[in-house]
Amino acid sequence: NLFPVYPYLYFAKVSERDARAMYAYFMSIPAVKRENNKLGFPFNMPGARESLLGWKLLFFGAKERAQYKYKPSRTKEWNRGAYIVQGLGHCGMCHTPMNVFGAPRNEYFLTGTFVDGYWAPNISSEALRSSSRLEVADVFKKSVLLNNAGPIAGPMAEVNHNSLSHLKASDRLAIATYLKTVVSRERIGVQEASQ
């Protein structure tokens, strides 16, 4: 039983083929001898991992376990972007607020939240309305926030450096295409409070 800090809620959406490819890649990397992180209270208590069975019943049901299904009413590019955002990219892990149990509050999907002391901004269609698809896609390559708001910092800087900046241009544009269509309930006052 893995704690939900591991993004299995999102990787469940990944195809079997991609999961096997990732596994093959990870197994090709030489092992590093490193002590596991020590868990703090209450996660270090006896039975903590077993308690995750209840968490899974509440927040990891059949809908959450289902692989991404292609939407025939949408373009190939849109579907590719949705697949990356919802699965491989696990963007909701940082850009979607979580409830007190560590499960995503999907009614606010991608509307932003704090992560490690940094604001992971709203990346839903409402927030990206004034930006073009190319401008959104450039964020991943150039690591500069939209509207010249400065360099990307915190956890997202690492994500861009180690991952998103290496995507093909077509995948960056696919992500932007999908993000510009994501409609979520807006959390009034959250962004204002963070500034």
Side-chain angles (χ1 to χ4, degrees):
N1 285 320
L2 299 172
F3 288 102
V5 70
Y6 176 79
Y8 59 83
L9 285 165
Y10 304 93
F11 282 103
K13 306 261 180 250
V14 173
S15 71
E16 183 74 21
R17 178 180 172 205
D18 283 347
R20 289 185 182 280
M22 286 189 300
Y23 180 77
Y25 171 72
F26 295 144
M27 295 307 289
S28 74
I29 300 171
V32 174
K33 186 176 174 88
R34 182 175 177 192
E35 186 177 329
N36 285 336
N37 293 336
K38 301 253 189 289
L39 295 173
F41 180 82
F43 307 108
N44 62 353
M45 301 297 293
R49 284 201 185 271
E50 291 74 16
S51 71
L52 290 173
L53 290 172
W55 188 93
K56 286 181 181 177
L57 286 171
L58 290 170
F59 305 114
F60 194 50
K63 179 182 171 191
E64 290 80 16
R65 292 175 189 264
Q67 286 184 7
Y68 178 79
K69 289 202 175 25
Y70 188 90
K71 312 285 187 291
S73 63
R74 295 291 193 158
T75 65
K76 183 177 178 182
E77 182 180 51
W78 185 93
N79 275 284
R80 178 67 178 163
Y83 175 73
I84 294 170
V85 168
Q86 294 176 26
L88 292 170
H90 59 283
C91 304
M93 185 94 181
C94 293
H95 290 274
T96 300
M98 301 211 179
N99 66 23
V100 295
F101 300 107
R105 296 183 63 192
N106 288 323
E107 70 272 25
Y108 300 120
F109 183 57
L110 302 180
T111 60
T113 191
F114 283 97
V115 178
D116 295 338
Y118 290 86
W119 177 250
N122 183 337
I123 56 172
S124 70
S125 61
E126 179 63 25
L128 301 177
R129 182 179 41 191
S130 64
S131 301
S132 72
R133 284 182 330 119
L134 289 172
E135 289 171 325
V136 174
D138 276 353
V139 169
F140 310 126
K141 186 70 176 172
K142 297 178 180 175
S143 286
V144 175
L145 295 168
L146 294 170
N147 304 317
N148 294 317
I152 289 178
M156 189 64 188
E158 184 178 346
V159 169
N160 265 13
H161 180 267
N162 293 332
S163 180
L164 296 177
S165 65
H166 302 285
L167 289 175
K168 296 184 295 187
S170 59
D171 282 344
R172 291 194 306 272
L173 278 170
I175 291 170
T177 297
Y178 171 70
L179 290 177
K180 297 240 341 136
T181 67
V182 172
V183 176
S184 293
R185 274 179 58 195
E186 293 297 317
R187 295 168 54 219
I188 305 301
V190 173
Q191 275 193 314
E192 291 81 356
S194 70
Q195 296 174 352

